[in-house]
Amino acid sequence: MVRRKGHGSSRKGVFLVVLLVLLLGGAGVLYVLNAEGTPPEVTIAPDKKYVGQDTAIQVTLRDVDSGLGQVTIVAIQDEKRIPVVRTTTVQGEQWEHTLDLADLDLQEAQFRLKVVATDNSWRRLGKGNIVEQDRAYALDTTAPGVGIMSIHHNLNQGGSGMVAFSATEPLSRAGVQIGERFFPAYQTQAQDWVCMFAYPYYAAPEADTPVLVVADKAENTFRTGFTHHINARRFPKDRIRITDGFLQAKMPQYENQFPEAETLLDVFLQVNGPMRDENRARLRDFGQQTTPKRLWEDRFLRLPNAARRASFGDQRTYYHKGEPIDTATHLGVDLASLARAKVPAANAGNVVFSDFLGIYGNVVVVDHGFGLQSLYAHLSKSNVAEGQSVSKGEILGKTGATGLAGGDHLHFAILISGQPVNPEEWWDQQWIEHNILSKWSLLEEDVS
């Protein structure tokens, strides 16, 4: 019997070929699965040009496909390379690093932060996908200089004030801080600034000192006091009787907003408390909708032929059936004339709100520029719309008893950046000339 040569080796060859194809195919599949082509995501924050010594620069890497590989971070200034993170292997899908500029030998000038990162992809012969990203910054570690232009600042508790000042460089933020309240300043021309501020009725003259705070574009901050005198004031106390008739007449309009309230008295307590707080927060929002320009001239108008029914700062205690039930501070002046009396704009400005607002009922808010605004509440009718310009004395609407009013009257308020102040000052031409216009003249002199 003759045995054929090559038959077994032929089968072996086929097997090897098939095996090689399978191996190559498997390797191809593994490569496709592990050689994705998306490089890591790099985020460098903050996204702004100017940074200061205290600015924290955050570098974040992210790669969800292959995981992170290596990272290198270097700062470059005038061809000088300063290692921030030397080539380091990292693990996981995300990595973060906070750069402290105080640790680097950088000059006050521009520099670049360069980030090079790879992932664990099989691309580039196993070296992974690579990404290079940089961001240009300007390092500024010097706080801005400030010169106070206005001299005399006589303040009444619950009243208004104004400070004029100049700065040595562009500012990102400026204003007067009193306790927790910050009143923004506005640039007038060149590097001159003006800040209208309130000395809140609740502030303590012996403790709450006005401080001018300015920050440049790198957030270097400078704080300084300025000469001032604060006249402390005692506000009158008032007893307000809440009758069942008042509750039945006024509370049904608010019932849908407080479905958990079981009685009309419960509704009143919600309106007089939380709703009052929410409404005043809205006034602070309106205060930011201001024009950096003085729109008003001279003293503000008062509702004609009107008797005063309540004063600014009245400390009210509310009684129901002889028992005290709540307290609140009245932050305006109530003026009563004939029913549905015409209400003139106290001064020229732009209407920033004309609608129903909680305790105030139908209300109009007029912006007079630089955060100064006037409010007209409890109107039976409004003649103006949001965005409309009004002239001094133009009729805004008619008095009424909408909202939490017990009778037809005008609740008139003056606000600075949303903080109510005593309107009586703004009805007084002499006070305006001594405390406001005299400071405006300093700004005008600086231009001439």
PDB file of all heavy atoms in Angstrom, residues 251 254 258 265-281 318 325-329 358-360 404:
ATOM      1  N   MET A 251     -58.640  89.110  52.081  1.00  0.00           N
ATOM      2  CA  MET A 251     -57.892  87.859  52.010  1.00  0.00           C
ATOM      3  C   MET A 251     -58.329  86.896  50.906  1.00  0.00           C
ATOM      4  O   MET A 251     -57.509  86.100  50.419  1.00  0.00           O
ATOM      5  CB  MET A 251     -57.939  87.133  53.364  1.00  0.00           C
ATOM      6  CG  MET A 251     -57.157  87.865  54.460  1.00  0.00           C
ATOM      7  SD  MET A 251     -55.450  88.275  53.978  1.00  0.00           S
ATOM      8  CE  MET A 251     -55.601  90.056  53.681  1.00  0.00           C
ATOM      9  N   TYR A 254     -56.047  86.255  47.953  1.00  0.00           N
ATOM     10  CA  TYR A 254     -54.776  85.558  48.161  1.00  0.00           C
ATOM     11  C   TYR A 254     -54.955  84.073  48.507  1.00  0.00           C
ATOM     12  O   TYR A 254     -53.975  83.346  48.624  1.00  0.00           O
ATOM     13  CB  TYR A 254     -53.992  86.213  49.302  1.00  0.00           C
ATOM     14  CG  TYR A 254     -53.669  87.671  49.084  1.00  0.00           C
ATOM     15  CD1 TYR A 254     -54.252  88.662  49.878  1.00  0.00           C
ATOM     16  CD2 TYR A 254     -52.765  88.067  48.097  1.00  0.00           C
ATOM     17  CE1 TYR A 254     -53.949  90.009  49.691  1.00  0.00           C
ATOM     18  CE2 TYR A 254     -52.461  89.411  47.905  1.00  0.00           C
ATOM     19  CZ  TYR A 254     -53.050  90.367  48.708  1.00  0.00           C
ATOM     20  OH  TYR A 254     -52.747  91.698  48.509  1.00  0.00           O
ATOM     21  N   PHE A 258     -52.258  80.250  48.985  1.00  0.00           N
ATOM     22  CA  PHE A 258     -51.946  79.592  50.251  1.00  0.00           C
ATOM     23  C   PHE A 258     -53.021  78.553  50.561  1.00  0.00           C
ATOM     24  O   PHE A 258     -53.809  78.711  51.506  1.00  0.00           O
ATOM     25  CB  PHE A 258     -51.842  80.619  51.379  1.00  0.00           C
ATOM     26  CG  PHE A 258     -50.830  81.699  51.111  1.00  0.00           C
ATOM     27  CD1 PHE A 258     -51.235  82.969  50.715  1.00  0.00           C
ATOM     28  CD2 PHE A 258     -49.470  81.438  51.223  1.00  0.00           C
ATOM     29  CE1 PHE A 258     -50.308  83.962  50.457  1.00  0.00           C
ATOM     30  CE2 PHE A 258     -48.531  82.421  50.965  1.00  0.00           C
ATOM     31  CZ  PHE A 258     -48.945  83.680  50.580  1.00  0.00           C
ATOM     32  N   LEU A 265     -57.443  84.403  58.705  1.00  0.00           N
ATOM     33  CA  LEU A 265     -56.355  84.943  59.516  1.00  0.00           C
ATOM     34  C   LEU A 265     -55.033  84.261  59.150  1.00  0.00           C
ATOM     35  O   LEU A 265     -53.992  84.919  59.077  1.00  0.00           O
ATOM     36  CB  LEU A 265     -56.654  84.760  61.003  1.00  0.00           C
ATOM     37  CG  LEU A 265     -55.586  85.291  61.970  1.00  0.00           C
ATOM     38  CD1 LEU A 265     -55.371  86.793  61.751  1.00  0.00           C
ATOM     39  CD2 LEU A 265     -55.979  85.012  63.418  1.00  0.00           C
ATOM     40  N   ASP A 266     -55.082  82.954  58.900  1.00  0.00           N
ATOM     41  CA  ASP A 266     -53.874  82.239  58.460  1.00  0.00           C
ATOM     42  C   ASP A 266     -53.379  82.805  57.125  1.00  0.00           C
ATOM     43  O   ASP A 266     -52.168  82.936  56.912  1.00  0.00           O
ATOM     44  CB  ASP A 266     -54.158  80.743  58.313  1.00  0.00           C
ATOM     45  CG  ASP A 266     -54.430  80.063  59.644  1.00  0.00           C
ATOM     46  OD1 ASP A 266     -53.965  80.586  60.676  1.00  0.00           O
ATOM     47  OD2 ASP A 266     -55.111  79.024  59.647  1.00  0.00           O
ATOM     48  N   VAL A 267     -54.321  83.126  56.238  1.00  0.00           N
ATOM     49  CA  VAL A 267     -53.941  83.720  54.949  1.00  0.00           C
ATOM     50  C   VAL A 267     -53.245  85.054  55.182  1.00  0.00           C
ATOM     51  O   VAL A 267     -52.200  85.345  54.592  1.00  0.00           O
ATOM     52  CB  VAL A 267     -55.172  83.908  54.046  1.00  0.00           C
ATOM     53  CG1 VAL A 267     -54.776  84.641  52.761  1.00  0.00           C
ATOM     54  CG2 VAL A 267     -55.812  82.567  53.717  1.00  0.00           C
ATOM     55  N   PHE A 268     -53.808  85.877  56.082  1.00  0.00           N
ATOM     56  CA  PHE A 268     -53.201  87.181  56.366  1.00  0.00           C
ATOM     57  C   PHE A 268     -51.766  87.026  56.859  1.00  0.00           C
ATOM     58  O   PHE A 268     -50.879  87.781  56.449  1.00  0.00           O
ATOM     59  CB  PHE A 268     -54.029  87.935  57.408  1.00  0.00           C
ATOM     60  CG  PHE A 268     -53.350  89.165  57.927  1.00  0.00           C
ATOM     61  CD1 PHE A 268     -53.353  90.338  57.190  1.00  0.00           C
ATOM     62  CD2 PHE A 268     -52.668  89.144  59.141  1.00  0.00           C
ATOM     63  CE1 PHE A 268     -52.689  91.479  57.650  1.00  0.00           C
ATOM     64  CE2 PHE A 268     -52.011  90.272  59.614  1.00  0.00           C
ATOM     65  CZ  PHE A 268     -52.021  91.447  58.869  1.00  0.00           C
ATOM     66  N   LEU A 269     -51.543  86.081  57.746  1.00  0.00           N
ATOM     67  CA  LEU A 269     -50.200  85.893  58.289  1.00  0.00           C
ATOM     68  C   LEU A 269     -49.216  85.479  57.204  1.00  0.00           C
ATOM     69  O   LEU A 269     -48.043  85.860  57.241  1.00  0.00           O
ATOM     70  CB  LEU A 269     -50.232  84.859  59.413  1.00  0.00           C
ATOM     71  CG  LEU A 269     -51.025  85.273  60.661  1.00  0.00           C
ATOM     72  CD1 LEU A 269     -51.099  84.119  61.659  1.00  0.00           C
ATOM     73  CD2 LEU A 269     -50.403  86.513  61.309  1.00  0.00           C
ATOM     74  N   GLN A 270     -49.673  84.717  56.215  1.00  0.00           N
ATOM     75  CA  GLN A 270     -48.818  84.340  55.094  1.00  0.00           C
ATOM     76  C   GLN A 270     -48.543  85.534  54.184  1.00  0.00           C
ATOM     77  O   GLN A 270     -47.429  85.714  53.693  1.00  0.00           O
ATOM     78  CB  GLN A 270     -49.469  83.210  54.294  1.00  0.00           C
ATOM     79  CG  GLN A 270     -49.532  81.876  55.026  1.00  0.00           C
ATOM     80  CD  GLN A 270     -48.137  81.325  55.304  1.00  0.00           C
ATOM     81  OE1 GLN A 270     -47.273  81.310  54.441  1.00  0.00           O
ATOM     82  NE2 GLN A 270     -47.923  80.885  56.531  1.00  0.00           N
ATOM     83  N   VAL A 271     -49.559  86.352  53.972  1.00  0.00           N
ATOM     84  CA  VAL A 271     -49.401  87.527  53.114  1.00  0.00           C
ATOM     85  C   VAL A 271     -48.500  88.557  53.779  1.00  0.00           C
ATOM     86  O   VAL A 271     -47.591  89.120  53.155  1.00  0.00           O
ATOM     87  CB  VAL A 271     -50.775  88.146  52.789  1.00  0.00           C
ATOM     88  CG1 VAL A 271     -50.616  89.491  52.079  1.00  0.00           C
ATOM     89  CG2 VAL A 271     -51.597  87.191  51.946  1.00  0.00           C
ATOM     90  N   ASN A 272     -48.731  88.809  55.055  1.00  0.00           N
ATOM     91  CA  ASN A 272     -47.990  89.843  55.769  1.00  0.00           C
ATOM     92  C   ASN A 272     -46.550  89.439  56.072  1.00  0.00           C
ATOM     93  O   ASN A 272     -45.706  90.305  56.319  1.00  0.00           O
ATOM     94  CB  ASN A 272     -48.711  90.188  57.074  1.00  0.00           C
ATOM     95  CG  ASN A 272     -48.316  91.547  57.610  1.00  0.00           C
ATOM     96  OD1 ASN A 272     -48.320  92.534  56.882  1.00  0.00           O
ATOM     97  ND2 ASN A 272     -47.964  91.596  58.885  1.00  0.00           N
ATOM     98  N   GLY A 273     -46.281  88.122  56.032  1.00  0.00           N
ATOM     99  CA  GLY A 273     -44.939  87.639  56.327  1.00  0.00           C
ATOM    100  C   GLY A 273     -44.192  87.191  55.088  1.00  0.00           C
ATOM    101  O   GLY A 273     -43.486  87.983  54.454  1.00  0.00           O
ATOM    102  N   PRO A 274     -44.312  85.903  54.704  1.00  0.00           N
ATOM    103  CA  PRO A 274     -43.553  85.394  53.552  1.00  0.00           C
ATOM    104  C   PRO A 274     -43.800  86.149  52.252  1.00  0.00           C
ATOM    105  O   PRO A 274     -42.857  86.417  51.508  1.00  0.00           O
ATOM    106  CB  PRO A 274     -44.041  83.938  53.444  1.00  0.00           C
ATOM    107  CG  PRO A 274     -44.467  83.575  54.828  1.00  0.00           C
ATOM    108  CD  PRO A 274     -45.040  84.822  55.409  1.00  0.00           C
ATOM    109  N   MET A 275     -45.073  86.524  51.969  1.00  0.00           N
ATOM    110  CA  MET A 275     -45.325  87.242  50.725  1.00  0.00           C
ATOM    111  C   MET A 275     -44.673  88.626  50.757  1.00  0.00           C
ATOM    112  O   MET A 275     -44.102  89.073  49.756  1.00  0.00           O
ATOM    113  CB  MET A 275     -46.822  87.376  50.458  1.00  0.00           C
ATOM    114  CG  MET A 275     -47.127  88.171  49.183  1.00  0.00           C
ATOM    115  SD  MET A 275     -48.885  88.274  48.773  1.00  0.00           S
ATOM    116  CE  MET A 275     -49.149  86.636  48.101  1.00  0.00           C
ATOM    117  N   ARG A 276     -44.714  89.289  51.864  1.00  0.00           N
ATOM    118  CA  ARG A 276     -44.073  90.600  51.990  1.00  0.00           C
ATOM    119  C   ARG A 276     -42.574  90.462  51.713  1.00  0.00           C
ATOM    120  O   ARG A 276     -41.974  91.276  51.003  1.00  0.00           O
ATOM    121  CB  ARG A 276     -44.313  91.177  53.393  1.00  0.00           C
ATOM    122  CG  ARG A 276     -43.735  92.576  53.584  1.00  0.00           C
ATOM    123  CD  ARG A 276     -43.963  93.048  55.022  1.00  0.00           C
ATOM    124  NE  ARG A 276     -45.380  93.202  55.318  1.00  0.00           N
ATOM    125  CZ  ARG A 276     -46.071  94.308  55.103  1.00  0.00           C
ATOM    126  NH1 ARG A 276     -45.469  95.354  54.551  1.00  0.00           N
ATOM    127  NH2 ARG A 276     -47.349  94.377  55.421  1.00  0.00           N
ATOM    128  N   ASP A 277     -41.947  89.420  52.261  1.00  0.00           N
ATOM    129  CA  ASP A 277     -40.519  89.200  52.033  1.00  0.00           C
ATOM    130  C   ASP A 277     -40.227  88.934  50.551  1.00  0.00           C
ATOM    131  O   ASP A 277     -39.246  89.451  49.999  1.00  0.00           O
ATOM    132  CB  ASP A 277     -40.025  88.016  52.867  1.00  0.00           C
ATOM    133  CG  ASP A 277     -40.068  88.304  54.365  1.00  0.00           C
ATOM    134  OD1 ASP A 277     -40.101  89.498  54.741  1.00  0.00           O
ATOM    135  OD2 ASP A 277     -40.085  87.342  55.153  1.00  0.00           O
ATOM    136  N   GLU A 278     -41.075  88.136  49.912  1.00  0.00           N
ATOM    137  CA  GLU A 278     -40.887  87.840  48.485  1.00  0.00           C
ATOM    138  C   GLU A 278     -41.047  89.102  47.641  1.00  0.00           C
ATOM    139  O   GLU A 278     -40.291  89.335  46.696  1.00  0.00           O
ATOM    140  CB  GLU A 278     -41.901  86.780  48.033  1.00  0.00           C
ATOM    141  CG  GLU A 278     -41.657  85.403  48.627  1.00  0.00           C
ATOM    142  CD  GLU A 278     -42.772  84.427  48.280  1.00  0.00           C
ATOM    143  OE1 GLU A 278     -43.667  84.818  47.490  1.00  0.00           O
ATOM    144  OE2 GLU A 278     -42.751  83.303  48.791  1.00  0.00           O
ATOM    145  N   ASN A 279     -42.027  89.928  47.984  1.00  0.00           N
ATOM    146  CA  ASN A 279     -42.247  91.168  47.232  1.00  0.00           C
ATOM    147  C   ASN A 279     -41.054  92.106  47.365  1.00  0.00           C
ATOM    148  O   ASN A 279     -40.633  92.743  46.389  1.00  0.00           O
ATOM    149  CB  ASN A 279     -43.509  91.867  47.716  1.00  0.00           C
ATOM    150  CG  ASN A 279     -44.786  91.095  47.441  1.00  0.00           C
ATOM    151  OD1 ASN A 279     -45.829  91.359  48.032  1.00  0.00           O
ATOM    152  ND2 ASN A 279     -44.717  90.104  46.567  1.00  0.00           N
ATOM    153  N   ARG A 280     -40.495  92.199  48.551  1.00  0.00           N
ATOM    154  CA  ARG A 280     -39.339  93.071  48.742  1.00  0.00           C
ATOM    155  C   ARG A 280     -38.108  92.523  48.027  1.00  0.00           C
ATOM    156  O   ARG A 280     -37.254  93.294  47.575  1.00  0.00           O
ATOM    157  CB  ARG A 280     -39.080  93.271  50.237  1.00  0.00           C
ATOM    158  CG  ARG A 280     -40.143  94.153  50.880  1.00  0.00           C
ATOM    159  CD  ARG A 280     -39.940  94.362  52.361  1.00  0.00           C
ATOM    160  NE  ARG A 280     -40.933  95.301  52.880  1.00  0.00           N
ATOM    161  CZ  ARG A 280     -41.107  95.575  54.163  1.00  0.00           C
ATOM    162  NH1 ARG A 280     -40.333  94.990  55.079  1.00  0.00           N
ATOM    163  NH2 ARG A 280     -42.028  96.444  54.554  1.00  0.00           N
ATOM    164  N   ALA A 281     -38.024  91.214  47.906  1.00  0.00           N
ATOM    165  CA  ALA A 281     -36.941  90.626  47.113  1.00  0.00           C
ATOM    166  C   ALA A 281     -37.091  91.010  45.639  1.00  0.00           C
ATOM    167  O   ALA A 281     -36.100  91.261  44.945  1.00  0.00           O
ATOM    168  CB  ALA A 281     -36.921  89.109  47.278  1.00  0.00           C
ATOM    169  N   TYR A 318     -49.579  94.200  64.653  1.00  0.00           N
ATOM    170  CA  TYR A 318     -50.942  93.914  64.198  1.00  0.00           C
ATOM    171  C   TYR A 318     -51.695  93.151  65.289  1.00  0.00           C
ATOM    172  O   TYR A 318     -51.154  92.203  65.886  1.00  0.00           O
ATOM    173  CB  TYR A 318     -50.900  93.092  62.909  1.00  0.00           C
ATOM    174  CG  TYR A 318     -50.247  93.825  61.760  1.00  0.00           C
ATOM    175  CD1 TYR A 318     -48.868  93.784  61.574  1.00  0.00           C
ATOM    176  CD2 TYR A 318     -51.007  94.583  60.869  1.00  0.00           C
ATOM    177  CE1 TYR A 318     -48.259  94.468  60.531  1.00  0.00           C
ATOM    178  CE2 TYR A 318     -50.409  95.272  59.830  1.00  0.00           C
ATOM    179  CZ  TYR A 318     -49.034  95.211  59.662  1.00  0.00           C
ATOM    180  OH  TYR A 318     -48.430  95.892  58.633  1.00  0.00           O
ATOM    181  N   ILE A 325     -50.671  89.664  66.763  1.00  0.00           N
ATOM    182  CA  ILE A 325     -50.536  88.483  65.891  1.00  0.00           C
ATOM    183  C   ILE A 325     -49.336  88.569  64.954  1.00  0.00           C
ATOM    184  O   ILE A 325     -48.881  87.539  64.439  1.00  0.00           O
ATOM    185  CB  ILE A 325     -51.814  88.275  65.048  1.00  0.00           C
ATOM    186  CG1 ILE A 325     -52.114  89.541  64.218  1.00  0.00           C
ATOM    187  CG2 ILE A 325     -52.990  87.885  65.924  1.00  0.00           C
ATOM    188  CD1 ILE A 325     -53.227  89.356  63.212  1.00  0.00           C
ATOM    189  N   ASP A 326     -48.801  89.778  64.730  1.00  0.00           N
ATOM    190  CA  ASP A 326     -47.687  89.881  63.779  1.00  0.00           C
ATOM    191  C   ASP A 326     -47.064  91.270  63.874  1.00  0.00           C
ATOM    192  O   ASP A 326     -47.621  92.182  64.488  1.00  0.00           O
ATOM    193  CB  ASP A 326     -48.178  89.634  62.346  1.00  0.00           C
ATOM    194  CG  ASP A 326     -47.079  89.108  61.432  1.00  0.00           C
ATOM    195  OD1 ASP A 326     -45.941  88.966  61.899  1.00  0.00           O
ATOM    196  OD2 ASP A 326     -47.366  88.855  60.249  1.00  0.00           O
ATOM    197  N   THR A 327     -45.885  91.414  63.268  1.00  0.00           N
ATOM    198  CA  THR A 327     -45.219  92.709  63.196  1.00  0.00           C
ATOM    199  C   THR A 327     -44.681  92.926  61.780  1.00  0.00           C
ATOM    200  O   THR A 327     -44.470  91.972  61.033  1.00  0.00           O
ATOM    201  CB  THR A 327     -44.051  92.808  64.192  1.00  0.00           C
ATOM    202  OG1 THR A 327     -43.083  91.793  63.887  1.00  0.00           O
ATOM    203  CG2 THR A 327     -44.533  92.658  65.629  1.00  0.00           C
ATOM    204  N   ALA A 328     -44.433  94.195  61.425  1.00  0.00           N
ATOM    205  CA  ALA A 328     -43.833  94.539  60.129  1.00  0.00           C
ATOM    206  C   ALA A 328     -43.366  95.984  60.194  1.00  0.00           C
ATOM    207  O   ALA A 328     -43.799  96.758  61.064  1.00  0.00           O
ATOM    208  CB  ALA A 328     -44.824  94.350  58.980  1.00  0.00           C
ATOM    209  N   THR A 329     -42.475  96.338  59.291  1.00  0.00           N
ATOM    210  CA  THR A 329     -42.001  97.722  59.186  1.00  0.00           C
ATOM    211  C   THR A 329     -42.553  98.336  57.911  1.00  0.00           C
ATOM    212  O   THR A 329     -42.440  97.746  56.829  1.00  0.00           O
ATOM    213  CB  THR A 329     -40.461  97.776  59.169  1.00  0.00           C
ATOM    214  OG1 THR A 329     -39.947  97.152  60.350  1.00  0.00           O
ATOM    215  CG2 THR A 329     -39.980  99.213  59.114  1.00  0.00           C
ATOM    216  N   GLY A 358     -48.380  91.328  44.787  1.00  0.00           N
ATOM    217  CA  GLY A 358     -48.634  90.922  46.167  1.00  0.00           C
ATOM    218  C   GLY A 358     -49.256  91.970  47.049  1.00  0.00           C
ATOM    219  O   GLY A 358     -50.353  92.482  46.786  1.00  0.00           O
ATOM    220  N   ILE A 359     -48.544  92.324  48.128  1.00  0.00           N
ATOM    221  CA  ILE A 359     -49.088  93.261  49.116  1.00  0.00           C
ATOM    222  C   ILE A 359     -49.273  94.655  48.525  1.00  0.00           C
ATOM    223  O   ILE A 359     -50.091  95.435  49.024  1.00  0.00           O
ATOM    224  CB  ILE A 359     -48.181  93.354  50.359  1.00  0.00           C
ATOM    225  CG1 ILE A 359     -46.809  93.928  49.981  1.00  0.00           C
ATOM    226  CG2 ILE A 359     -48.043  91.999  51.047  1.00  0.00           C
ATOM    227  CD1 ILE A 359     -45.934  94.266  51.169  1.00  0.00           C
ATOM    228  N   TYR A 360     -48.541  94.975  47.463  1.00  0.00           N
ATOM    229  CA  TYR A 360     -48.597  96.325  46.896  1.00  0.00           C
ATOM    230  C   TYR A 360     -49.766  96.512  45.935  1.00  0.00           C
ATOM    231  O   TYR A 360     -50.046  97.633  45.528  1.00  0.00           O
ATOM    232  CB  TYR A 360     -47.296  96.646  46.169  1.00  0.00           C
ATOM    233  CG  TYR A 360     -46.090  96.644  47.071  1.00  0.00           C
ATOM    234  CD1 TYR A 360     -45.177  95.593  47.046  1.00  0.00           C
ATOM    235  CD2 TYR A 360     -45.857  97.693  47.949  1.00  0.00           C
ATOM    236  CE1 TYR A 360     -44.066  95.595  47.882  1.00  0.00           C
ATOM    237  CE2 TYR A 360     -44.760  97.706  48.789  1.00  0.00           C
ATOM    238  CZ  TYR A 360     -43.864  96.646  48.756  1.00  0.00           C
ATOM    239  OH  TYR A 360     -42.769  96.648  49.582  1.00  0.00           O
ATOM    240  N   LEU A 404     -52.905  95.004  49.802  1.00  0.00           N
ATOM    241  CA  LEU A 404     -53.179  94.902  51.238  1.00  0.00           C
ATOM    242  C   LEU A 404     -53.669  96.226  51.823  1.00  0.00           C
ATOM    243  O   LEU A 404     -53.597  96.443  53.022  1.00  0.00           O
ATOM    244  CB  LEU A 404     -51.905  94.436  51.966  1.00  0.00           C
ATOM    245  CG  LEU A 404     -52.071  93.717  53.310  1.00  0.00           C
ATOM    246  CD1 LEU A 404     -53.010  92.527  53.202  1.00  0.00           C
ATOM    247  CD2 LEU A 404     -50.715  93.284  53.846  1.00  0.00           C
TER     248      LEU A 404
END
